[in-house]
Amino acid sequence: YQFFRFSMLFGLGALFLGRRITHTVGIGSKGKLILDAHPAIEGLPIFKNAGTFDIRVRQADATYLDNAACVVRSCSVKIFDASGKNILDVLMNSGAKSIIWNIPSFLNLMGIRSKGETPENLHAFFREDPLSTELLDRNMYRVDSLTDLSYYSKIRYLIKNKEGKTFATQFRCIPNKPKPEGSISVQVLDEKGNWQRGRFEGDDRPWDYLHQEYDQRIKQSPIEYILQV
């Protein structure tokens, strides 16, 4: 029943709006996944052999169109085999754990947002449960570059190996040269101590400054990430 409600919410929302209802604007790129040999991976049929796979990557903000906002950010990776067949889609978000942990908590957040996405309404949601309080500062970031972020899959991919054994598999995507721990700013509170997810006063960067920076960086040299299973 909960899964049905969840599917209906996204399906009807997309039909009504004529677009996706979340992670609306992002930036895409394409490249190569170089898969190193490892016994745990070799047994998965989608990765029959170590080698190189074509990939497409999309990074986007979950809610705001403004890159200067403090939000959860997503990274989606499509992996293709040698024949061009899409063999796996990996969906990840910033933060090792999610601020929503099941369908009821997601629907609760959507209900609060439907009343108006004010700092007061969202603050009430994030602070009403100890788990949300603990995870709030581990998911939302204000960054200077998308290459500063690490992404984690929040769902488990059930993949069978050649012996028929099923593995609950999760993925992590981290920068090849990550910044030191604690150097990425969360900054949910403004200078007056008010809870603020939107752009801070005085921040005059373009609304898509992260996309512009990523575009310029990738034109100069390849951007390298490490995708871990």
Side-chain angles (χ1 to χ4, degrees):
Y1 173 69
Q2 291 177 349
F3 179 77
F4 175 75
R5 291 177 63 194
F6 188 80
S7 301
M8 288 293 292
L9 174 68
F10 274 82
L12 292 176
L15 182 64
F16 178 75
L17 296 173
R19 59 169 175 79
R20 57 191 305 158
I21 65 173
T22 183
H23 303 81
T24 308
V25 178
I27 185 167
S29 56
K30 60 182 179 180
K32 300 290 185 180
L33 170 66
I34 301 174
L35 184 68
D36 293 332
H38 189 282
I41 296 178
E42 290 173 351
L44 301 180
I46 58 171
F47 300 127
K48 294 179 181 178
N49 300 295
T52 301
F53 297 81
D54 289 327
I55 60 171
R56 295 177 185 171
V57 180
R58 182 181 189 268
Q59 297 179 78
D61 298 346
T63 305
Y64 290 88
L65 299 181
D66 187 354
N67 286 172
C70 193
V71 297
V72 175
R73 306 183 195 273
S74 70
C75 178
S76 306
V77 181
K78 296 181 74 71
I79 304 174
F80 302 86
D81 64 14
S83 67
K85 179 183 178 182
N86 180 202
I87 58 174
L88 184 64
D89 292 332
V90 181
L91 308 178
M92 297 168 285
N93 284 328
S94 56
K97 296 182 180 179
S98 179
I99 52 179
I100 49 177
W101 53 95
N102 56 19
I103 292 178
S105 67
F106 175 83
L107 294 175
N108 185 27
L109 176 60
M110 293 299 100
I112 290 176
R113 287 185 58 193
S114 69
K115 300 175 183 178
E117 190 167 322
T118 64
E120 293 77 17
N121 285 343
L122 290 171
H123 184 274
F125 169 80
F126 289 123
R127 297 304 182 192
E128 72 179 4
D129 188 281
L131 182 60
S132 292
T133 303
E134 175 189 352
L135 299 178
L136 174 61
D137 293 343
R138 302 183 189 180
N139 293 267
M140 298 183 178
Y141 304 96
R142 301 181 196 273
V143 293
D144 297 322
S145 173
L146 291 174
T147 60
D148 293 338
L149 291 172
S150 295
Y151 299 97
Y152 302 77
S153 61
K154 300 303 189 297
I155 59 175
R156 293 172 177 83
Y157 296 82
L158 301 180
I159 302 176
K160 288 186 178 181
N161 67 3
K162 55 187 178 183
E163 285 79 30
K165 186 176 182 180
T166 300
F167 291 84
T169 308
Q170 288 184 281
F171 295 83
R172 179 173 71 168
C173 183
I174 61 176
N176 188 34
K177 297 180 180 179
K179 281 192 172 183
E181 187 71 23
S183 64
I184 297 178
S185 176
V186 177
Q187 292 184 313
V188 178
L189 301 179
D190 64 18
E191 60 183 12
K192 298 178 181 179
N194 298 318
W195 196 78
Q196 174 66 31
R197 286 184 65 200
R199 176 183 291 259
F200 284 162
E201 184 177 350
D203 187 345
D204 58 358
R205 291 175 296 183
W207 70 271
D208 63 342
Y209 76 91
L210 287 177
H211 300 165
Q212 292 185 32
E213 192 276 341
Y214 188 89
D215 181 59
Q216 291 301 315
R217 184 185 292 255
I218 205 169
K219 286 178 179 177
Q220 296 172 9
S221 62
I223 298 175
E224 296 183 357
Y225 288 91
I226 299 173
L227 183 65
Q228 299 173 322
V229 180

